[in-house]
Amino acid sequence: MSGKPVRPRTRVGKYELGKTIGEGSFAKVKFAKNVENGNHVAIKILDRNHVLRHKMMEQLKKEISAMKMINHPNVVKIYEVMASKTKIYIVLELVNGGELFDKIAKYGKLKEDEARSYFHQLINAVDYCHSRGVYHRDLKPENLLLDSNAILKVTDFGLSTYAQQEDELLRTACGTPNYVAPEVLNDRGYVGSTSDIWSCGVILFVLMAGYLPFDEPNHATLYQKIGRAQFTCPSWFSPEAKKLLKRILDPNPLTRIKIPELLEDEWFKKGYKPTTFVEEEDVNVDDVAAAFNDSKENLVTERKEKPVSMNAFELISRSQSFNLENLFEKQTQGIVKRETHFTSQRPANEIMSKIEEAAKPLGFNVHKRNYKMKLQGDKSGRKGHLSVATEVFEVAPSLHMVELRKTGGDTLEFHKFYKSFSSSSGLQDIVWHSEAKQ
Amino acid sequence: MSSTIATDSHGLSDSWTIGERVCAALMPLIAVVEVLILTVTGCFSYCPCISIIDQNHKCTYTAKDFAILADETRFTVEEVEALHVLFKRLSSSLIDDDSIHKEELQLALFQTPYGKNLFLDRVFDVFDQKRNGVIEFDEFVHALSVFHPYAPMDEKIDFAFKLYDLRQTGFIEPEEVKLMVVAILIEFDMNLPDDLLEAIVHKTIADADKDNDGKISREDWKAFVSRNPSLLINMTLPYLKDITSVLSSFVFKTEAKP
């Protein structure tokens, strides 16, 4: 069994950061867990210096504040914003159904009705955000996610100021300007609402066709085609769909269809149900202000999460002799310990995994938090459900001590549990016996 | 020589008056009565019992004694009475003599009177302020007062320091820390090689020894505990906040005389 060290987890405020689930030049998105309630979230991490260098602070602050107030079923929710000296952390709703375009990559084009259903959701999201003065300006496949119920969620609203700085290079060098409105590419000055509608049109085309309306290997040719809106709809598009796409992919932003007109379009209206949802009131945006101002007061620190280091006295204070609570409890016959310990030279994360692996087959539900774990028996015993608290401590640089403590249920059942638990092969691998004990 | 003395003494008695003779005859009787009176009245004034092993010496505490103990500690009179119920249960578990012997404390904490335990010895010694080999009721109450949730932190810090200062030198030395780590590992049925033991001890001393004299002084300890408050987790017994209801399940009746 490999004893390769597992990297300690990183904590930011009350969040424990996990693996990276998305990455750009100046930002990355990480999976994270709120250690207070166990909820999973995504955290977008922005480079604070990059924001400062490009004088985006005020704009970003304004847009993120507006976004925090948005509570729409088709928009990824912003829960809170934190900042450290070097980074800005935006805590987002975790959407785990993948990108909408993964679906196309896997199954090819969508049926017109299904494409229309997703387009309805996209327009609902865009319309709602526009009504709140928030524009996306960077709608593209990576920003369209699906939740576990296949509901569309648009992400990165309000982060466009940041994203555009990032994508300026991409558009000219190696990026794909395929979804970008002609007025944005030509840098003629543009209105966020109309450029978002153009991007929605490109997305609709891809959903129904399975390929891009403007796709050229040569950037100059591509820009030209986008500028003139030179595209051809495939034969399987219905005439109504073709007609609508012509109105959306209009190179002139002034004559391009607006959302109120779009909502009245015959093709669009088929099966359309406006979204019903409860708007949140009294959303606090103080955290956004705090994250973007220069005060050192509310800064969070990013720190590596590792087991509690136990000094000699913490070890000593665990002696049963010092637990005078026993004086107040009626005596039972024989020694019945309510806790037990073992040592291991394995990395703490590995110990945690092995404990979990050993406990689950014995019928225990496992709740983890940092290097603590609660094992809850699913069967009721003589004194209710057996529950065991487990914690991994570091007692020396290469040595961990694991403490298992009965927190509920019958003590004799705890002993029976520990006997089965400690004899499991996975646990045998990690329990360390010094030469003296072998 | 002995005969001379006998004769002399006999000769002296011839000169005694009748009154003196009556007095001499009654002296032992008076002494016995006096001892009885002192013994009985002694229980009505505050004098902690002097317990002698294997001697069925009993002492009854009065309401006045409980009041004095309540004044000296964080407990109310009712709580002192409740503690007396607990004390009687503990002190009669092996030898019924109104004092807690080490084996009785061990039985209460480990549910067995057998075996040697360094930490038990330390707890016992710190409780036994009079150093007479047993814990008497007043010592029991005074020591438990430190464990009260409302007891000042300084008292708890000091008590813990006394526990860990094995040789009572006013310092916790590396050898003492090592002895205690070995003892806890034995209690946990664990075994560590010497280099790891040394690493644990060295790291702890280094963390705690602020004045760099290689040992932990009271000042070092106080600062160390303020940085590691979990060290005092066992120095507070939540039970003591509501001791009367906690101990209400014990069927013993208090022997306090009104």
Side-chain angles (χ1 to χ4, degrees), chain A residues 220-232:
Chain A
T221 319
L222 179 63
Y223 276 43
Q224 206 174 37
K225 282 199 166 182
I226 292 171
R228 293 177 189 159
Q230 286 177 341
F231 70 97
T232 312

Side-chain angles (χ1 to χ4, degrees), chain A residues 118-169:
Chain A
Y118 283 123
F119 188 63
H120 285 160
Q121 294 175 65
L122 174 60
I123 294 300
N124 280 339
V126 170
D127 184 30
Y128 184 78
C129 291
H130 286 185
S131 72
R132 295 303 189 93
V134 181
Y135 305 99
H136 200 294
R137 303 187 192 92
D138 195 31
L139 283 165
K140 56 189 177 190
E142 302 95 281
N143 293 329
L144 304 182
L145 308 175
L146 295 176
D147 72 6
S148 47
N149 300 313
I151 302 293
L152 182 80
K153 299 264 186 184
V154 184
T155 188
D156 272 4
F157 256 111
L159 294 176
S160 52
T161 314
Y162 190 87
Q164 275 182 316
Q165 289 289 343
E166 190 176 324
D167 285 352
E168 229 161 68
L169 291 164

Side-chain angles (χ1 to χ4, degrees), chain A residues 246-312:
Chain A
K246 281 266 182 263
R247 294 185 68 196
I248 297 173
L249 299 176
D250 177 349
N252 182 351
L254 300 174
T255 55
R256 192 177 300 150
I257 191 170
K258 313 262 183 302
I259 288 182
E261 299 165 68
L262 179 59
L263 296 173
E264 292 307 312
D265 179 84
E266 285 309 311
W267 182 86
F268 183 87
K269 281 203 298 193
K270 273 185 198 160
Y272 177 67
K273 292 186 197 76
T275 317
T276 52
F277 60 96
V278 179
E279 290 197 48
E280 273 186 46
E281 289 172 33
D282 302 326
V283 175
N284 191 326
V285 290
D286 292 350
D287 57 332
V288 184
F292 284 91
N293 70 21
D294 292 328
S295 154
K296 304 272 181 285
E297 216 175 298
N298 300 291
L299 296 183
V300 291
T301 51
E302 199 174 288
R303 55 190 174 86
K304 291 279 180 258
E305 199 52 58
K306 62 191 201 78
V308 172
S309 182
M310 192 188 263
N311 63 53

Side-chain angles (χ1 to χ4, degrees), chain A residues 46-332:
Chain A
L46 313 181
D47 182 327
R48 197 174 186 168
N49 295 329
H50 177 75
V51 175
L52 284 166
R53 259 200 317 277
H54 291 84
K55 302 184 173 56
M56 295 186 275
M57 273 299 195
E58 274 314 304
Q59 181 65 15
L60 256 180
K61 182 171 144 184
K62 202 170 84 189
E63 295 207 352
I64 292 173
S65 296
M67 276 310 299
K68 199 180 172 203
M69 297 171 89
I70 285 173
N71 182 38
H72 189 280
N74 300 119
V75 179
V76 170
K77 177 106 186 89
I78 292 182
Y79 293 128
E80 66 173 301
V81 181
M82 303 173 291
S84 69
K85 283 179 186 165
T86 57
K87 296 183 181 106
I88 290 166
Y89 303 91
I90 300 163
V91 183
L92 305 160
E93 171 187 3
L94 180 71
V95 184
N96 45 22
E99 291 176 16
L100 172 60
F101 278 58
D102 291 342
K103 209 169 176 178
I104 292 164
K106 196 172 177 183
Y107 304 111
K109 63 181 189 291
L110 303 182
K111 291 194 176 77
E112 201 163 289
D113 284 347
E114 194 181 358
R116 180 168 32 224
S117 167
Y118 283 123
F119 188 63
H120 285 160
Q121 294 175 65
L122 174 60
I123 294 300
N124 280 339
V126 170
D127 184 30
Y128 184 78
C129 291
H130 286 185
S131 72
R132 295 303 189 93
V134 181
Y135 305 99
H136 200 294
R137 303 187 192 92
D138 195 31
L139 283 165
K140 56 189 177 190
E142 302 95 281
N143 293 329
L144 304 182
L145 308 175
L146 295 176
D147 72 6
S148 47
N149 300 313
I151 302 293
L152 182 80
K153 299 264 186 184
V154 184
T155 188
D156 272 4
F157 256 111
L159 294 176
S160 52
T161 314
Y162 190 87
Q164 275 182 316
Q165 289 289 343
E166 190 176 324
D167 285 352
E168 229 161 68
L169 291 164
L170 299 178
R171 286 194 198 107
T172 51
C174 54
T176 54
N178 306 72
Y179 296 85
V180 181
E183 65 273 20
V184 177
L185 287 177
N186 299 332
D187 228 357
R188 287 198 204 112
Y190 63 92
V191 179
S193 56
T194 50
S195 63
D196 277 350
I197 290 168
W198 172 280
S199 302
C200 289
V202 178
I203 288 163
L204 175 61
F205 185 99
V206 176
L207 289 175
M208 294 198 301
Y211 58 84
L212 285 156
F214 313 105
D215 198 15
E216 288 291 332
N218 178 292
H219 269 214
T221 319
L222 179 63
Y223 276 43
Q224 206 174 37
K225 282 199 166 182
I226 292 171
R228 293 177 189 159
Q230 286 177 341
F231 70 97
T232 312
C233 290
S235 57
W236 59 83
F237 280 19
S238 67
E240 296 94 331
K242 287 179 185 175
K243 193 174 141 196
L244 176 59
L245 277 164
K246 281 266 182 263
R247 294 185 68 196
I248 297 173
L249 299 176
D250 177 349
N252 182 351
L254 300 174
T255 55
R256 192 177 300 150
I257 191 170
K258 313 262 183 302
I259 288 182
E261 299 165 68
L262 179 59
L263 296 173
E264 292 307 312
D265 179 84
E266 285 309 311
W267 182 86
F268 183 87
K269 281 203 298 193
K270 273 185 198 160
Y272 177 67
K273 292 186 197 76
T275 317
T276 52
F277 60 96
V278 179
E279 290 197 48
E280 273 186 46
E281 289 172 33
D282 302 326
V283 175
N284 191 326
V285 290
D286 292 350
D287 57 332
V288 184
F292 284 91
N293 70 21
D294 292 328
S295 154
K296 304 272 181 285
E297 216 175 298
N298 300 291
L299 296 183
V300 291
T301 51
E302 199 174 288
R303 55 190 174 86
K304 291 279 180 258
E305 199 52 58
K306 62 191 201 78
V308 172
S309 182
M310 192 188 263
N311 63 53
F313 290 108
E314 280 165 321
L315 201 54
I316 293 159
S317 68
R318 278 172 158 69
S319 169
Q320 211 172 325
S321 300
F322 296 147
N323 185 8
L324 297 185
E325 285 186 353
N326 288 345
L327 297 178
F328 300 90
E329 290 172 5
K330 287 189 173 171
Q331 291 170 18
T332 54

Side-chain angles (χ1 to χ4, degrees), chain A residues 329-357:
Chain A
E329 290 172 5
K330 287 189 173 171
Q331 291 170 18
T332 54
Q333 284 308 108
I335 303 168
V336 188
K337 284 189 181 174
R338 280 161 289 188
E339 58 183 64
T340 188
H341 308 79
F342 67 83
T343 45
S344 176
Q345 288 194 300
R346 297 290 193 193
N349 283 12
E350 191 185 320
I351 296 169
M352 293 291 282
S353 305
K354 290 291 179 188
I355 291 171
E356 190 172 1
E357 280 170 32

